[in-house]
Coordinates of all heavy atoms in Angstrom, one line a residue:
D1 N -3.2 112.9 54.1 CA -2.1 112.8 55.0 C -0.8 113.2 54.4 O -0.5 112.9 53.2 CB -1.9 111.3 55.5 CG -3.0 110.9 56.4 OD1 -3.7 111.8 57.0 OD2 -3.2 109.7 56.6
C2 N 0.0 114.0 55.2 CA 1.3 114.5 54.7 C 2.3 114.4 55.8 O 2.0 114.2 57.0 CB 1.2 116.0 54.3 SG -0.1 116.4 53.1
V3 N 3.6 114.5 55.5 CA 4.6 114.7 56.5 C 5.0 116.1 56.6 O 5.3 116.8 55.5 CB 5.9 113.8 56.1 CG1 7.0 114.1 57.0 CG2 5.5 112.4 56.0
V4 N 4.9 116.7 57.8 CA 5.2 118.1 58.0 C 6.3 118.3 59.0 O 6.3 117.6 60.0 CB 3.9 118.8 58.4 CG1 3.3 118.3 59.7 CG2 4.1 120.3 58.6
G5 N 7.2 119.2 58.7 CA 8.3 119.5 59.7 C 9.3 120.3 58.9 O 9.2 120.8 57.8
N6 N 10.5 120.4 59.6 CA 11.6 121.1 59.0 C 12.2 120.2 57.8 O 12.6 119.1 58.0 CB 12.7 121.4 60.0 CG 12.4 122.7 60.8 OD1 11.7 123.5 60.3 ND2 13.1 122.8 61.9
V7 N 12.3 120.8 56.7 CA 12.8 120.2 55.5 C 14.0 121.0 54.9 O 13.8 122.2 54.8 CB 11.7 120.0 54.4 CG1 12.3 119.3 53.2 CG2 10.6 119.2 55.0
G8 N 15.1 120.4 54.7 CA 16.2 121.1 54.1 C 17.5 120.5 54.6 O 17.6 119.4 55.0
S9 N 18.6 121.3 54.5 CA 19.9 120.9 54.9 C 20.3 121.5 56.2 O 19.5 122.3 56.8 CB 20.9 121.3 53.8 OG 21.1 122.7 53.8
R10 N 21.5 121.1 56.7 CA 21.9 121.7 58.0 C 22.3 123.2 57.9 O 22.4 123.9 58.9 CB 23.1 120.9 58.6 CG 24.3 120.9 57.7 CD 25.3 119.8 58.2 NE 26.4 119.6 57.3 CZ 27.6 119.9 57.6 NH1 27.9 120.5 58.8 NH2 28.6 119.7 56.8
W11 N 22.4 123.7 56.6 CA 22.7 125.1 56.5 C 21.4 125.9 56.3 O 21.4 127.0 56.7 CB 23.6 125.3 55.2 CG 24.9 124.7 55.4 CD1 26.0 125.2 56.1 CD2 25.4 123.5 54.8 NE1 27.1 124.4 56.0 CE2 26.7 123.3 55.3 CE3 24.8 122.5 54.0 CZ2 27.5 122.2 54.9 CZ3 25.5 121.4 53.7 CH2 26.8 121.2 54.1
R12 N 20.4 125.3 55.7 CA 19.1 126.0 55.5 C 18.0 125.0 55.5 O 18.1 124.0 54.8 CB 19.2 126.9 54.3 CG 17.9 127.6 54.0 CD 18.0 128.6 52.9 NE 16.7 129.3 52.7 CZ 16.5 130.3 51.8 NH1 17.5 130.7 51.1 NH2 15.3 130.8 51.7
Y13 N 16.9 125.4 56.1 CA 15.8 124.5 56.1 C 14.5 125.4 56.3 O 14.6 126.5 56.7 CB 15.8 123.4 57.2 CG 16.0 123.9 58.6 CD1 15.0 124.4 59.3 CD2 17.3 124.0 59.1 CE1 15.2 124.9 60.6 CE2 17.5 124.5 60.4 CZ 16.4 124.9 61.1 OH 16.6 125.4 62.4
D14 N 13.4 124.8 55.9 CA 12.1 125.5 56.0 C 11.1 124.5 56.6 O 11.2 123.3 56.4 CB 11.6 125.9 54.6 CG 12.4 127.1 54.0 OD1 12.6 128.1 54.8 OD2 12.8 127.0 52.9
Y15 N 10.1 125.1 57.2 CA 9.0 124.3 57.7 C 8.0 124.0 56.6 O 7.4 125.0 56.0 CB 8.3 125.1 58.8 CG 7.2 124.2 59.6 CD1 7.6 123.3 60.5 CD2 5.9 124.5 59.4 CE1 6.7 122.5 61.2 CE2 4.9 123.7 60.1 CZ 5.3 122.8 60.9 OH 4.4 122.0 61.6
S16 N 7.9 122.8 56.1 CA 7.2 122.5 54.9 C 6.5 121.1 55.0 O 6.6 120.5 56.0 CB 8.2 122.5 53.7 OG 7.5 122.4 52.5
V17 N 5.8 120.8 53.9 CA 5.1 119.5 53.8 C 5.5 118.7 52.6 O 6.0 119.2 51.6 CB 3.6 119.8 53.8 CG1 3.1 120.3 55.0 CG2 3.2 120.7 52.6
L18 N 5.4 117.4 52.8 CA 5.8 116.4 51.7 C 4.7 115.4 51.6 O 4.0 115.1 52.6 CB 7.1 115.8 52.0 CG 8.4 116.7 52.1 CD1 9.6 115.9 52.7 CD2 8.7 117.4 50.8
G19 N 4.6 114.8 50.4 CA 3.7 113.7 50.2 C 2.9 113.7 49.0 O 2.8 114.8 48.3
D20 N 2.2 112.6 48.7 CA 1.3 112.6 47.5 C 0.2 113.6 47.5 O -0.3 114.0 46.4 CB 0.8 111.1 47.3 CG 1.8 110.1 46.9 OD1 2.9 110.6 46.4 OD2 1.6 108.9 47.2
T21 N -0.3 113.9 48.7 CA -1.3 114.9 48.8 C -0.9 116.2 48.3 O -1.7 116.9 47.6 CB -1.8 115.0 50.3 OG1 -2.3 113.8 50.8 CG2 -2.8 116.1 50.5
V22 N 0.4 116.6 48.5 CA 0.9 117.9 48.0 C 1.0 117.8 46.5 O 0.7 118.8 45.8 CB 2.3 118.1 48.6 CG1 2.9 119.4 48.1 CG2 2.2 118.2 50.2
N23 N 1.5 116.7 46.0 CA 1.7 116.5 44.5 C 0.3 116.6 43.8 O 0.2 117.3 42.7 CB 2.3 115.2 44.2 CG 3.7 115.1 44.8 OD1 4.4 116.1 45.1 ND2 4.1 113.8 45.1
L24 N -0.7 116.0 44.4 CA -2.0 116.1 43.8 C -2.6 117.5 43.8 O -3.2 118.0 42.8 CB -3.0 115.1 44.4 CG -4.4 115.1 43.8 CD1 -4.4 114.8 42.3 CD2 -5.3 114.1 44.6
A25 N -2.4 118.2 44.9 CA -2.8 119.6 45.0 C -2.2 120.5 43.9 O -2.8 121.3 43.3 CB -2.5 120.2 46.4
S26 N -0.9 120.3 43.7 CA -0.2 121.0 42.6 C -0.7 120.6 41.2 O -0.9 121.5 40.4 CB 1.3 120.7 42.7 OG 2.0 121.3 41.6
R27 N -1.1 119.4 41.1 CA -1.6 118.9 39.8 C -3.0 119.5 39.6 O -3.4 119.9 38.4 CB -1.7 117.4 39.8 CG -2.2 116.8 38.4 CD -2.2 115.3 38.5 NE -2.9 114.8 37.3 CZ -3.3 113.5 37.2 NH1 -3.2 112.7 38.3 NH2 -3.9 113.1 36.1
L28 N -3.8 119.6 40.6 CA -5.2 120.2 40.5 C -5.1 121.6 40.1 O -5.9 122.1 39.3 CB -5.9 120.0 41.8 CG -6.2 118.6 42.3 CD1 -6.9 118.6 43.6 CD2 -7.1 117.9 41.2
E29 N -4.1 122.3 40.6 CA -3.9 123.8 40.2 C -3.6 123.9 38.7 O -4.1 124.7 38.0 CB -2.8 124.4 41.1 CG -2.5 125.8 40.8 CD -1.5 125.9 39.7 OE1 -0.5 125.2 39.7 OE2 -1.7 126.7 38.7
S30 N -2.7 123.0 38.2 CA -2.4 123.1 36.8 C -3.5 122.7 35.9 O -3.7 123.1 34.8 CB -1.1 122.2 36.5 OG -1.5 120.8 36.8
L31 N -4.4 121.8 36.4 CA -5.6 121.3 35.7 C -6.7 122.4 35.6 O -7.6 122.4 34.7 CB -6.2 120.1 36.3 CG -5.4 118.8 36.1 CD1 -6.1 117.6 36.8 CD2 -5.3 118.4 34.6
S32 N -6.6 123.4 36.5 CA -7.7 124.4 36.5 C -7.8 125.2 35.2 O -8.9 125.5 34.7 CB -7.5 125.4 37.7 OG -6.3 126.1 37.5
K33 N -6.6 125.4 34.6 CA -6.6 126.1 33.3 C -7.2 125.3 32.2 O -8.0 125.7 31.4 CB -5.2 126.6 33.0 CG -5.1 127.4 31.7 CD -3.7 127.9 31.4 CE -3.6 128.7 30.1 NZ -2.3 129.2 29.9
E34 N -6.8 124.0 32.3 CA -7.3 123.0 31.2 C -8.8 122.9 31.3 O -9.5 122.8 30.3 CB -6.6 121.7 31.4 CG -7.0 120.6 30.4 CD -6.3 119.3 30.7 OE1 -5.3 119.3 31.4 OE2 -6.8 118.3 30.2

């Protein structure tokens, strides 16, 4: 589960995702080399 939607400031924002699921995916990518 993630939170998905517009993320940013009133001057600039992007459609993106947030949450522990995202953090773990990034960690798994870094572990692939190890």
Side-chain angles (χ1 to χ4, degrees):
D1 290 341
C2 305
V3 175
V4 59
N6 275 339
V7 178
S9 68
R10 59 193 172 114
W11 294 282
R12 179 172 177 174
Y13 54 85
D14 289 311
Y15 189 74
S16 187
V17 291
L18 299 172
D20 291 339
T21 298
V22 180
N23 299 333
L24 181 55
S26 177
R27 183 182 172 193
L28 294 178
E29 178 273 315
S30 63
L31 287 175
S32 64
K33 183 177 181 181
E34 180 181 340

